[in-house]
Amino acid sequence: MKTPQAVPLIRAPRRRGSRDKADPCTMVIFGGAGDLTKRKLIPAIYYLAEQKLLPDNFALLGVARDQNTDDSYRAMMREAMSRSDEIHKVNDDVWQWLCQRTFYAGGDFTRDDAYANIKTRLNEIESKSGEEDRNRLFYLAIPPSVFETTLTHLCASGLARRTHSYEERPWNRIVIEKPFGTSLDSAMALNRLVLDEFGEHQIYRIDHYLGKESVQNILVFRFANSIFEPLWNRHYVSHVQITAAESVGVEGRGKYYEEAGVLRDMFQNHLLQLLTLAAMEPPSSFTADAVRDEKVKVLHSVRPLVQGDCEPAVVRAQYDGGTVDGKSVPAYTSEPDVPANSLTPTFAAMRVDINNWRWKGVPFYLRSGKRMARRISEIAIQFRSPPLLLFGQKAVEEMSPSVLTMRVQPDEGISLRFQVKTPGAMHELTPGLEITPVDMDFTYGEAFGNDAHPAYETLLLDCMIGDPTLFTRSDEVEMAWSIIDPVLDYWGKHPARSLPRYPAGSWGPEEANKLLLGDHTRWR
Ligand code: BG6
């Protein structure tokens, strides 16, 4: 296994409590007319403006190849907001406030003249603020194929400059969208490139799962309560199931998905992030590096998925046509830009073992797929059965185990399933005793109303405040690749002739169930 690079520590504080206002800054979005900007970034910026979390001298510069003026770009963003499913109602005053601070620069990112144009526009915009040196946030909402040239040009043109410490002002920060590389080698090369030009404290690698309230709550739930942590280990936990099931298909992204497949798209990032948060040790403090150090330690302890030349215990499959939410949907191979003979997996399930003192012997089962029966992401901790069968063998066999479930989405919340005596019911072996599982349920919606902040809003604010806790550090991203890469490598060297298939709208292929048989359990 290759060794990820060591990283300098960033002693950045984790902000806490009520939300701080962003630092004054100019945000430059490369890919300013793209899908991500329209669907996620502009709505998130709008919400920050609505909550008055952006300072008066905030400015936004969209950069794209299209021919646009400031006005036509503003109109394009306004149109995108009215289509966005993230925004319920646009307040005209807030939009006008944002509009006055939104600008556009056209150009091809691979050419020098684009950067000269951006520089001119930034000078115009920033000179109005009366500040000589402005903080700048560069957001790369662009395909990975143009990361390298964009980063190189950004530095060469002097638009973004290296700062030597987290405290240095004005700050320059770079946000990099996923996927961060397509393999361990490419992620290492990208890290080298980025870290040749910038300090780690300037780089914000996004995994939007970390911006979800319910994901952040995993740490609060675990470490702000003392009742669960004593049980959170191999002595009490029988196994853990982490699921990220989606009912959507590839949503017109067939070209990207053909190259990615489910392991790169969901496991290397989102699922391994959930795994680290569920399995990590308590950090020594709630600072960015203390938290990330503990997450990296979990990744270091993962037993390699490929042992010698043995086939990895990873089930992969692809969806067929079927019915989802009452609508019939086509097979993956009938999606646009997907060849009819594609062998790209849209579902995977795997067993992950964490070889450390806390978790040795406790399987973590991970699964994710497109076009499954329902959209649901959750972590379920299943506890061991009681050591002694007091209530009659039959009753215990019927007993479902105690399970603590952290629902990431939808219906964010936490529930605890445990056994109670059914009132009055009799059981033939232990008269007077029949046992029923019940759920104790907490939902965010009921407790706090349905106004959770969208993930991108949280993450963008963190970039502007300078809190990297919810972003992936260079060693973390490489460690995650070093877990997934050997499986991709194995599959590359031993190409499958066909893949198991599952009907759209189901819970995946039969093969995924076999993975759990050895542990006498099944998928939830
Ligand atoms: C993205 C993947 O990172 O996450 C998509 O590229 C996937 O394929 C999406 O649909 C899932 O995110 P969410 O927030 O909708 O669960």
Side-chain angles (χ1 to χ4, degrees):
M1 194 190 292
K2 288 168 191 126
T3 322
Q5 301 158 33
V7 283
L9 295 187
I10 309 159
R11 297 282 166 221
R14 171 90 187 116
R15 91 192 135 74
R16 58 199 84 213
S18 64
R19 308 213 292 170
D20 296 338
K21 209 169 191 163
D23 288 356
C25 64
T26 307
M27 176 173 177
V28 182
I29 306 182
F30 286 88
D35 197 47
L36 181 73
T37 305
K38 290 180 182 163
R39 285 195 310 118
K40 301 286 182 190
L41 302 183
I42 276 290
I45 295 168
Y46 168 84
Y47 274 131
L48 291 176
E50 192 183 60
Q51 293 163 77
K52 303 205 180 325
L53 290 169
L54 296 179
D56 213 38
N57 50 0
F58 170 79
L60 171 67
L61 178 68
V63 182
R65 283 170 205 242
D66 316 22
Q67 293 296 323
N68 268 308
T69 60
D70 287 344
D71 280 342
S72 66
Y73 184 63
R74 290 167 185 161
M76 184 196 285
M77 292 302 114
R78 179 67 184 79
E79 163 74 13
M81 294 225 306
S82 51
R83 287 168 187 269
S84 161
D85 45 15
E86 307 256 326
I87 297 221
H88 311 301
K89 186 170 181 312
V90 180
N91 174 319
D92 270 338
D93 292 342
V94 177
W95 174 246
Q96 281 314 321
W97 185 94
L98 187 57
C99 225
Q100 287 158 13
R101 291 162 178 79
T102 300
F103 306 90
Y104 183 76
D108 177 343
F109 311 147
T110 57
R111 295 169 46 123
D112 294 348
D113 52 358
Y115 297 84
N117 187 26
I118 298 170
K119 195 176 228 170
T120 312
R121 296 272 20 222
L122 282 177
N123 288 342
E124 281 165 32
I125 297 162
E126 294 176 347
S127 62
K128 285 194 205 138
S129 77
E131 293 160 70
E132 290 245 305
D133 276 327
R134 289 264 294 179
N135 298 320
R136 288 179 180 170
L137 180 68
F138 295 92
Y139 199 117
L140 306 193
I142 50 178
S145 54
V146 282
F147 278 170
E148 183 170 344
T149 170
T150 308
L151 283 166
T152 316
H153 276 94
L154 261 182
C155 287
S157 61
L159 285 174
R161 53 181 194 87
R162 185 182 198 107
T163 57
H164 296 285
S165 71
Y166 171 77
E167 287 77 20
E168 193 176 326
R169 294 294 181 267
W171 52 253
N172 278 203
R173 296 181 186 137
I174 318 286
V175 188
I176 304 183
E177 260 298 329
K178 100 173 235 288
F180 195 88
T182 53
S183 62
L184 177 57
D185 280 341
S186 60
M188 287 172 94
L190 188 53
N191 268 335
R192 267 196 304 274
L193 174 84
V194 170
L195 297 175
D196 273 353
E197 308 285 9
F198 301 102
E200 175 67 33
H201 60 278
Q202 297 179 267
I203 307 301
Y204 289 68
R205 298 172 193 79
I206 280 216
D207 181 320
H208 78 277
Y209 256 58
L210 292 177
K212 293 180 192 275
E213 294 275 2
S214 46
V215 172
Q216 294 168 58
N217 189 45
I218 298 170
L219 293 190
V220 176
F221 178 76
R222 288 189 55 197
F223 302 132
N225 297 294
S226 56
I227 51 175
F228 301 107
E229 208 43 32
L231 308 180
W232 214 263
N233 57 51
R234 56 194 291 270
H235 300 297
Y236 297 96
V237 175
S238 114
H239 73 270
V240 179
Q241 290 188 22
I242 302 182
T243 301
E246 298 188 86
S247 54
V248 293
V250 286
E251 306 272 86
R253 295 192 305 155
K255 193 158 174 282
Y256 152 77
Y257 203 85
E258 263 303 279
E259 284 167 20
V262 68
L263 285 200
R264 291 189 178 93
D265 190 47
M266 294 294 288
F267 280 75
Q268 185 275 337
N269 32 68
H270 310 324
L271 272 96
L272 288 183
Q273 286 296 335
L274 295 181
L275 175 89
T276 56
L277 294 172
M280 68 188 258
E281 296 299 319
S284 57
S285 65
F286 203 34
T287 54
D289 270 316
V291 173
R292 298 192 291 183
D293 284 349
E294 293 306 333
K295 288 165 67 195
V296 170
K297 279 192 210 158
V298 173
L299 297 174
H300 271 287
S301 311
V302 168
R303 183 169 176 262
L305 295 170
V306 178
Q307 304 278 340
D309 199 35
C310 299
E311 185 165 356
V314 178
V315 173
R316 57 184 154 155
Q318 193 185 74
Y319 64 83
D320 253 333
T323 307
V324 179
D325 292 335
K327 281 195 213 131
S328 54
V329 296
Y332 174 68
T333 45
S334 305
E335 300 275 8
D337 299 323
V338 175
N341 59 355
S342 166
L343 289 173
T344 302
T346 59
F347 170 98
M350 61 175 73
R351 174 188 164 137
V352 172
D353 286 279
I354 302 176
N355 280 346
N356 64 16
W357 275 54
R358 187 189 280 259
W359 293 118
K360 176 85 183 147
V362 179
F364 283 69
Y365 294 108
L366 274 50
R367 72 177 155 163
S368 177
K370 298 254 180 225
R371 285 284 188 229
M372 294 181 68
R374 242 174 346 117
R375 174 180 187 238
I376 184 158
S377 296
E378 62 169 37
I379 300 174
I381 316 281
Q382 182 161 321
F383 292 95
R384 291 188 186 284
S385 299
L388 198 60
L389 310 173
L390 290 182
F391 307 110
Q393 181 70 33
K394 188 154 180 262
V396 170
E397 275 173 355
E398 285 164 2
M399 234 190 229
S400 47
S402 303
V403 183
L404 183 102
T405 309
M406 293 180 273
R407 286 188 305 277
V408 172
Q409 63 190 19
D411 205 11
E412 292 79 352
I414 296 176
S415 66
L416 181 62
R417 167 160 290 203
F418 52 90
Q419 314 302 318
V420 296
K421 176 183 171 300
T422 318
M426 304 279 279
H427 190 279
E428 62 194 45
L429 294 176
T430 47
L433 256 184
E434 194 165 294
I435 293 172
T436 309
V438 291
D439 288 329
M440 207 153 74
D441 211 14
F442 151 76
T443 62
Y444 261 94
E446 273 175 28
F448 300 107
N450 283 319
D451 57 358
H453 302 288
Y456 273 95
E457 184 191 313
T458 305
L459 295 173
L460 275 182
L461 185 60
D462 278 0
C463 298
M464 295 184 203
I465 287 172
D467 182 349
T469 313
L470 301 178
F471 296 82
T472 323
R473 209 169 54 184
S474 58
D475 53 342
E476 194 177 349
V477 87
E478 290 178 12
M479 272 317 300
W481 272 120
S482 71
I483 292 169
I484 298 300
D485 222 29
V487 180
L488 294 168
D489 228 42
Y490 185 94
W491 287 348
K493 288 188 188 130
H494 305 83
R497 283 208 208 101
S498 65
L499 288 188
R501 302 177 80 82
Y502 59 101
S506 69
W507 284 108
E510 185 46 39
E511 285 75 358
N513 298 331
K514 295 190 190 136
L515 202 62
L516 278 68
L517 284 183
D519 290 304
H520 307 289
T521 186
R522 48 200 166 98
W523 291 107
R524 284 163 54 73

